[in-house]
Amino acid sequence: MKEISYTQAFTILVLNQKPKLNAFKDRRIAACLLISELVELMRSRTVRTTGANRMVVAPVETTDIDYLQPILRDLKGRDPETMVNYVKSAVLSLRKRRVLTFAKAVCDSLIKSGRIEEDDRRYYVTQTMAYRLVTEVYNDLLGDKEPADQTVMLAILLINSGLLKDYYPKAEADKIKDLIEQTAHPDKYLLVSDVIKRINHEVAEIVSAVES
């Protein structure tokens, strides 16, 4: 999964279940997509949080990733707000225009790189690609070495979007959930970034907020 980001991998697995852009109108999936993009921006130090946990764009942007530009422009045009409030306002809007704009940008990046195809507003994901991603997540998480950041974040997204059960039998899904719960332990998974460790606790809260 090194050649694509966790945001792109998550998008592929969403489209593999429902191959249209409106798949991202699902509140849980929409929230997870936005969180994933925000985490990418935070890890690149393009976005930081203030003492009041409000997100602000850095004076000098440090990312030129094409699919992150729409959400970055949106953040710039708004007053600083918490991640919870930002995600809620986008996901709970009636038409979800911002969500669909952000999702389309990721889809376009995948089309450009030849990883998915589009025809008549329908996206096509090869089963080989989806199977490889799902297999890599499981093998990396349950392997002998510490899992990669990418893997941990993708697993968090699959768990909180509700997609985990669509890709793994219950026994395997439970193992993945148990392992992800351990990632925040200070003496474990030292290679997993602090941003991802922190977001692991916040995602469930944010998803719950958009569902209620």
Side-chain angles (χ1 to χ4, degrees):
M1 203 175 79
K2 293 180 180 179
E3 69 277 10
I4 61 174
S5 68
Y6 39 79
T7 302
Q8 291 175 309
F10 176 67
T11 299
I12 287 171
L13 294 178
V14 170
L15 294 174
N16 189 53
Q17 292 295 316
K18 186 176 181 180
K20 293 191 175 183
L21 196 62
N22 65 9
F24 295 92
K25 286 187 174 182
D26 178 280
R27 289 183 179 183
R28 295 175 71 180
I29 288 173
C32 285
L33 175 71
L34 267 64
I35 291 166
S36 184
E37 294 198 356
L38 292 170
V39 168
E40 281 202 61
L41 290 171
M42 289 177 183
R43 292 190 65 204
S44 68
R45 301 183 187 278
T46 301
V47 168
R48 63 178 180 83
T49 54
T50 67
N53 283 326
R54 287 180 169 83
M55 299 182 297
V56 294
V57 178
V60 179
E61 296 167 22
T62 54
T63 185
D64 58 358
I65 297 174
D66 54 358
Y67 63 80
L68 293 177
Q69 299 312 306
I71 194 171
L72 188 54
R73 286 193 296 270
D74 189 60
L75 287 166
K76 285 181 181 178
R78 295 176 177 275
D79 292 332
E81 55 188 326
T82 64
M83 182 183 287
V84 174
N85 288 341
Y86 179 80
V87 173
K88 278 181 66 176
S89 68
V91 172
L92 297 180
S93 64
L94 186 61
R95 296 187 179 179
K96 295 183 175 58
R97 286 180 178 172
R98 282 191 284 161
V99 172
L100 296 181
T101 297
F102 304 156
K104 189 175 185 306
V106 186
C107 293
D108 288 346
S109 76
L110 290 167
I111 293 169
K112 185 178 179 180
S113 63
R115 291 186 172 88
I116 65 172
E117 295 181 358
E118 182 187 16
D119 182 45
D120 194 26
R121 298 183 182 179
R122 185 181 180 92
Y123 295 99
Y124 293 90
V125 176
T126 65
Q127 289 302 305
T128 302
M129 170 72 75
Y131 177 78
R132 182 166 65 83
L133 289 173
V134 170
T135 302
E136 284 182 7
V137 167
Y138 187 80
N139 290 342
D140 193 20
L141 286 175
L142 279 81
D144 295 330
K145 298 180 180 180
E146 183 171 325
D149 262 357
Q150 293 269 92
T151 306
V152 172
M153 188 63 198
L154 179 54
I156 291 170
L157 296 171
L158 291 176
I159 290 167
N160 288 280
S161 65
L163 289 178
L164 192 73
K165 68 182 185 305
D166 295 324
Y167 285 106
Y168 300 95
K170 187 177 185 305
E172 292 183 1
D174 288 344
K175 286 181 183 178
I176 291 173
K177 288 178 182 178
D178 289 343
L179 192 143
I180 292 301
E181 287 179 4
Q182 298 174 34
T183 57
H185 195 285
D187 298 326
K188 293 184 178 181
Y189 306 106
L190 300 179
L191 298 181
V192 176
S193 76
D194 290 339
V195 173
I196 289 179
K197 285 184 176 183
R198 187 176 70 249
I199 205 67
N200 186 22
H201 291 289
E202 295 177 2
V203 175
E205 174 193 344
I206 296 171
V207 170
S208 176
V210 301
E211 283 193 302
S212 59

